[in-house]
Amino acid sequence: MPTSRGPAHSPSSAAPGPGLSRRGLGGLVAAGAVAAAATPAAADTRAPDPGRPGGRVRPNILWLVAEDHYPFIGAYGDTLARTPTLDQVAREGIRYEHSYSAAPVCAPSRFALLTGVYPATAGPAQHMRARAAIPDFLHGFPRYLREAGYYTTNNDKTDYNTQVDMAATWDESSKSAHWRNRPADAPFFAVFNDVSTHESGLFSAVDGRTRPQDVTLPDYLPDTPEIRKDFAHYYDAMETMDSRVASRLAELEAAGLAENTIVFCYSDNGGVLPRSKRYCYDEGLRTSLIVRFPAAWQHLAPRPPGSVEEGAVTSVDYAPTVLALAGVGIPRHVQGKPFLGVHRHRPARYAFGGRDRMDERYDMVRTVRDDRYRYLRNYTPHRPWGQHQGFAWLARGYQSWEQAHIDGALTAVQDRFWGTKPAEELYDLHTDPDEVHNLADDPAHDATRRRLGRALDRHLIDIHDNGFIPEGSPLEGWEASRAPGAYPLRRVLGLAGRAITGRRRHLSEFTGLLGHENEAMRYWAAQGLLILGPEAAPAARRLARTLTDDPSPQVRIAAAETLIHLDHTADRAVAFLADTLEHHNDSRVRLQALNALTFIPRESARAVYAAVQKAALDQDEYLRSAGRYLKFVLDGTYTPASPVFTWGGGR
């Protein structure tokens, strides 16, 4: 049933209404050469033979990207939304019911959009604001469009989580970049990023047209004035964004280019309300996607105007789709599949996603979604969902939710966010759109859990998921992780799967594997012991040797945290964490030590207060936020409204 906050499953067709005015066919141009390093079979054979007399023209392609929004859109069945432009585009185009980002936050998701590969395939791209090392052959896909004669522009957000040759990728990337600046007779691929719906807009939003009392809250959130206001302000932001989409479309009409331009309207990741952005539920991963084809290019669409596509689409699919529409070959390394064009693939059954470090907090989740169920696997079940994140907590909704938790004013469903996680989660989105009733242990759903778990395992192997490598390890990266023998992913995946169960029967295996030659194996053995908690006590002496002798600081950090919880050589373990925090040359290794200090008993962390205080003044944004939070906690002055995040970190 449609709700006022965007349904998990909305009506199967867009609402009727009048069409936008269209100008005559215009702005048609010849195309350039097809990229040589591509897979010819993946190219759109109906595209023109470039550079030859009589060759067919190619379409312009326009991306209208709005940040951080779950589909609070009328065309998706939201009865409170005021999005007339997007509703109209849906009536004239194809609305994708099951569109998802590869990650529930911008930087990893934009890596996927730019490259057509999953961020976890080239660590540390799966982490928020990282710098992935990528091989020389992996380029941003607009480069291939440029080589084929397209004029490519980006206005103006990048945030690609890797080093990109911008001059080779874009003809122009700036706040003034625009398709109208192209040379005569050049087709264009243009991206406009709208920030109206970005998370930061909630922090200083003022009341608008939406009344807080009119919004419908999900079951997992308490009914507080602050949360209601955040929802209302978000609806207002969606209305603003919709008006800006209208302005961009009007530019096309005025230039006579609407009838030769394929338009994508989508979001880079899910929404920003509590338990959405950064989290692997539908609210964090589900995105809007509407694609409009002019009549001249309708043969490249899988369905007629006004249709709804039920097959899954993920952000890795966008790059190969644009290449296919432009008649440009798709490079062999691209993991996404084209969902438009003459040689489009069949609609996918599954959409995969995941999260890793978000700002200053470490977590690891992998998930798969079909048309009804979402399955999640939590690789850090010993950490709570609601780890404090300084930037996110600028939203008053998060502050009020945590305050209600502190006050003991939450229901069991609302309070779950502040506790540790199960190893597996399974939700039926048809009956439980808020994803609060975990079916993973329900025998009636065992076959579904197993099916989705197997699909997820295959995917992790297929993309060579780097997420099981601790951040900062020399094993990270597309090439490093693929060196022969460097990263035995199948074995690591199996070990990590046993580690997260927290079952004592694996104790001897974890203890023995602390001596394994491979860092990733040792790391997950140490994680398994950390997750076991007090039941890891028989491994204490072996963990103490690991703390002293292991060459990997990440493995030693896990061993140190476990030893502190076991109260075995705790003073030495705390001293090691403090020394690593203060002196290690990798800021992310320092951050891992600081996170460990955050989750040990307070009396143990107070022994190294000076190191925490120093971190609170660090130049690194994430170390500074994590340090300030822990300092407030150790001082006994923390409240959910404490000023943890400080501006100036490049936001």
Side-chain angles (χ1 to χ4, degrees):
M1 174 179 289
T3 71
S4 61
R5 60 180 185 82
H9 189 82
S10 52
S12 59
S13 62
L20 290 174
S21 62
R22 295 288 181 88
R23 293 178 179 267
L25 189 65
L28 305 183
V29 291
V34 175
T39 307
D44 184 351
T45 57
R46 294 191 64 175
D49 190 5
R52 297 178 184 272
R56 291 176 180 163
V57 295
R58 296 192 182 188
N60 303 313
I61 301 170
L62 176 64
W63 276 10
L64 300 179
V65 189
E67 298 198 32
D68 295 350
H69 81 78
Y70 182 78
F72 284 42
I73 296 171
Y76 278 87
D78 194 310
T79 58
L80 192 58
R82 296 182 301 277
T83 52
T85 306
L86 290 172
D87 298 346
Q88 184 68 33
V89 175
R91 287 190 287 268
E92 296 180 341
I94 301 170
R95 178 174 63 79
Y96 284 79
E97 180 69 20
H98 294 288
S99 172
Y100 304 93
S101 57
V105 75
C106 56
S109 180
R110 286 175 181 269
F111 179 90
L113 288 166
L114 182 74
T115 64
V117 304
Y118 286 90
T121 204
Q126 75 275 14
H127 296 293
M128 177 59 177
R129 295 274 160 76
R131 185 60 64 89
I134 57 175
D136 291 341
F137 63 78
L138 205 162
H139 305 299
F141 78 92
R143 177 171 181 158
Y144 304 114
L145 295 173
R146 291 191 70 192
E147 292 170 356
Y150 271 77
Y151 180 74
T152 64
T153 62
N154 177 56
N155 186 329
D156 80 311
K157 185 169 181 176
T158 53
D159 214 6
Y160 297 135
N161 247 20
T162 188
Q163 186 65 42
V164 175
D165 185 344
M166 298 296 287
T169 305
W170 302 106
D171 285 286
E172 186 177 0
S173 179
S174 70
K175 291 184 177 181
S176 61
H178 201 289
W179 50 261
R180 67 165 65 100
N181 300 327
R182 71 194 188 285
D185 297 331
F188 67 78
F189 170 68
V191 180
F192 291 92
N193 293 276
D194 190 275
V195 299
S196 304
T197 51
H198 188 267
E199 170 181 29
S200 57
L202 289 181
F203 304 158
S204 58
V206 297
D207 293 346
R209 292 178 60 190
T210 308
R211 301 190 308 169
Q213 62 266 34
D214 291 340
V215 304
T216 300
L217 299 180
D219 289 344
Y220 54 82
L221 289 178
D223 192 345
T224 70
E226 294 83 1
I227 288 175
R228 283 194 169 275
K229 281 196 170 186
D230 277 358
F231 270 74
H233 295 158
Y234 194 61
Y235 275 105
D236 294 339
M238 290 291 292
E239 183 178 20
T240 298
M241 179 270 289
D242 186 83
S243 69
R244 293 181 179 177
V245 170
S247 296
R248 294 297 179 192
L249 295 178
E251 290 177 339
L252 279 183
E253 294 277 357
L257 296 175
E259 291 299 337
N260 193 42
T261 303
I262 300 171
V263 178
F264 289 63
C265 299
Y266 72 91
S267 50
D268 59 348
N269 48 258
V272 301
L273 299 163
R275 208 205 77 166
S276 57
K277 183 178 179 180
R278 302 180 182 86
Y279 299 93
C280 287
Y281 301 106
D282 260 32
E283 288 83 0
L285 287 169
R286 189 178 179 214
T287 66
S288 64
L289 172 62
I290 304 169
V291 185
R292 188 183 75 181
F293 288 83
W297 298 101
Q298 191 62 47
H299 63 282
L300 300 179
R303 296 179 182 275
S307 297
V308 175
E309 174 57 63
E310 297 282 350
V313 171
T314 309
S315 51
V316 292
D317 299 324
Y318 288 30
T321 296
V322 170
L323 294 177
L325 290 174
V328 176
I330 300 170
R332 293 179 177 87
H333 65 264
V334 168
Q335 295 167 343
K337 307 298 181 185
F339 56 88
L340 301 171
V342 172
H343 295 289
R344 58 186 174 269
H345 284 234
R346 291 182 178 179
R349 184 180 186 185
Y350 299 123
F352 300 95
R355 69 156 283 176
D356 294 82
R357 176 179 55 74
M358 293 290 170
D359 294 354
E360 68 267 31
R361 297 300 175 207
Y362 282 90
D363 201 347
M364 182 180 176
V365 183
R366 294 295 181 266
T367 183
V368 56
R369 174 76 150 85
D370 66 10
D371 61 350
R372 179 167 181 170
Y373 295 95
R374 179 173 293 285
Y375 170 79
L376 302 97
R377 193 177 294 150
N378 293 307
Y379 285 102
T380 54
H382 56 302
R383 301 291 194 231
W385 281 282
Q387 294 187 65
H388 186 282
Q389 296 168 74
F391 190 73
W393 257 245
L394 291 174
R396 293 179 180 86
Y398 271 115
Q399 295 174 19
S400 71
W401 192 8
E402 187 181 15
Q403 189 60 56
H405 162 69
I406 293 170
D407 295 341
L410 299 175
T411 67
V413 168
Q414 295 161 357
D415 204 47
R416 188 180 72 149
F417 182 73
W418 306 100
T420 55
K421 304 182 285 291
E424 296 178 291
E425 299 174 72
L426 177 68
Y427 300 101
D428 182 344
L429 275 295
H430 285 188
T431 62
D432 178 26
D434 292 340
E435 296 167 276
V436 296
H437 302 295
N438 185 9
L439 304 174
D441 294 329
D442 185 343
H445 291 86
D446 190 60
T448 299
R449 179 185 62 82
R450 290 177 179 272
R451 170 177 62 84
L452 293 173
R454 288 193 298 268
L456 182 60
D457 285 340
R458 288 193 298 270
H459 170 74
L460 300 181
I461 295 295
D462 287 346
I463 69 167
H464 202 70
D465 194 310
N466 277 206
F468 298 93
I469 303 170
E471 188 174 19
S473 165
L475 295 177
E476 273 187 317
W478 182 295
E479 293 177 310
S481 68
R482 287 167 172 78
Y487 179 39
L489 177 54
R490 290 182 184 274
R491 291 194 64 189
V492 173
L493 179 60
L495 174 58
R498 294 187 292 278
I500 65 176
T501 64
R503 293 173 182 159
R504 195 180 189 281
R505 69 170 182 257
H506 301 303
L507 172 63
S508 61
E509 178 192 11
F510 299 156
T511 306
L513 287 173
L514 289 175
H516 197 279
E517 63 181 1
N518 185 270
E519 179 189 14
M521 293 291 289
R522 298 196 309 277
Y523 177 79
W524 281 100
Q527 289 293 309
L529 294 170
L530 176 60
I531 292 166
L532 274 175
E535 292 189 321
R541 291 182 63 185
R542 183 62 184 85
L543 283 164
R545 279 173 37 208
T546 294
L547 177 64
T548 302
D549 299 336
D550 200 282
S552 166
Q554 294 91 333
V555 175
R556 295 173 72 190
I557 289 168
E561 184 179 350
T562 308
L563 287 166
I564 295 165
H565 288 298
L566 296 175
D567 199 22
H568 184 92
T569 62
D571 291 346
R572 183 158 61 90
V574 172
F576 164 75
L577 292 177
D579 182 71
T580 303
L581 171 59
E582 288 194 271
H583 300 118
H584 200 278
N585 59 8
D586 187 325
S587 62
R588 295 302 166 254
V589 173
R590 296 173 63 202
L591 185 61
Q592 290 165 56
L594 183 51
N595 271 265
L597 287 168
T598 301
F599 288 99
I600 63 174
R602 292 184 187 178
E603 58 270 22
S604 297
R606 284 194 183 99
V608 292
Y609 181 86
V612 174
Q613 189 175 36
K614 184 177 178 181
L617 301 173
D618 202 275
Q619 292 298 307
D620 181 89
E621 173 186 330
Y622 300 146
L623 282 166
R624 185 170 63 249
S625 288
R628 286 173 65 88
Y629 170 79
L630 184 53
K631 181 179 181 296
F632 283 128
V633 169
L634 297 180
D635 288 342
T637 60
Y638 173 75
T639 72
S642 294
V644 169
F645 178 84
T646 54
W647 292 95
R651 294 277 180 177

